[in-house]
Amino acid sequence: MHKFCYALLILICCSACDEKAVFHEYKSLPDYWESDTAVVFKVNKLDSLTNYNLFITLRNTNEYAFSNLFLISELQFPNGKTITDTLEYKMARPDGSWLGEGFGDLKENKLWYKENFRFTEAGEYQFRLKQAMRRNGSVNPVQELGGIVDVGLRIEKIKE
């Protein structure tokens, strides 16, 4: 219940004063993020003549057991073309303190995804995010990644 209250408070505070975001959506995860589960966002009706910065937003708790995060992202264009990226983000400082913003044990992270991106095709774009964490020395994925409570996609219009 505390996670929900913190998440709701952060969402209200951020949405009340946010003028740059043209899209920002979070998807809540259960107690863990399964390695074969993708978080999917669908976006359409964005200006094809405008440049945007894209971010992955995450909320993590102290239950997150790693100092970094590996993600596999897939961006599918309306024509079916797909761009796949492997991304790594630092989540903690060398002393173990979290890099995200927030109060208590819930931290919000705004992570660069694509810079100066243009939605050149009309139609729906689909973003798929999967966690790709491994333990040191193991080739097998972490099947159930705990401590990530929300995964989001944020699109900001670049001011000229």
Side-chain angles (χ1 to χ4, degrees):
M1 184 64 179
H2 290 289
K3 291 180 192 178
F4 176 75
C5 292
Y6 285 129
L8 185 61
L9 179 62
I10 290 172
L11 183 62
I12 290 170
C13 290
C14 291
S15 64
C17 57
D18 191 355
E19 296 176 6
K20 290 192 287 186
V22 296
F23 178 90
H24 194 193
E25 183 179 323
Y26 272 106
K27 303 270 177 107
S28 293
L29 297 174
D31 294 333
Y32 48 83
W33 191 356
E34 292 184 36
S35 62
D36 59 350
T37 300
V39 179
V40 179
F41 300 94
K42 296 179 180 181
V43 178
N44 57 31
K45 298 182 182 173
L46 291 176
D47 185 354
S48 64
L49 301 177
T50 300
N51 290 354
Y52 298 91
N53 288 328
L54 284 59
F55 300 90
I56 294 168
T57 53
L58 298 169
R59 292 185 182 124
N60 71 285
T61 66
N62 289 335
E63 300 300 314
Y64 189 68
F66 300 93
S67 63
N68 64 348
L69 176 68
F70 282 93
L71 299 174
I72 305 294
S73 71
E74 292 180 357
L75 167 53
Q76 184 176 13
F77 289 72
N79 70 4
K81 174 181 135 185
T82 301
I83 297 173
T84 302
D85 293 305
T86 301
L87 309 167
E88 180 186 12
Y89 297 105
K90 288 186 179 183
M91 298 292 287
R93 294 178 188 86
D95 68 2
S97 61
W98 296 117
L99 290 170
E101 306 269 327
F103 301 103
D105 73 339
L106 185 68
K107 300 300 179 194
E108 185 168 17
N109 300 272
K110 182 179 174 184
L111 310 168
W112 278 99
Y113 175 41
K114 295 209 177 279
E115 188 174 11
N116 219 13
F117 184 82
R118 192 174 272 178
F119 294 89
T120 55
E121 298 175 16
E124 182 178 87
Y125 288 76
Q126 183 172 289
F127 296 84
R128 297 173 51 84
L129 300 170
K130 292 175 76 175
Q131 62 94 350
M133 294 300 293
R134 310 267 188 279
R135 298 204 183 277
N136 282 344
S138 176
V139 295
N140 298 321
V142 173
Q143 292 295 320
E144 297 177 346
L145 182 64
I148 303 289
V149 294
D150 298 301
V151 177
L153 177 69
R154 179 182 176 91
I155 301 172
E156 292 182 358
K157 188 183 229 180
I158 297 175
K159 297 204 178 197
E160 296 181 20

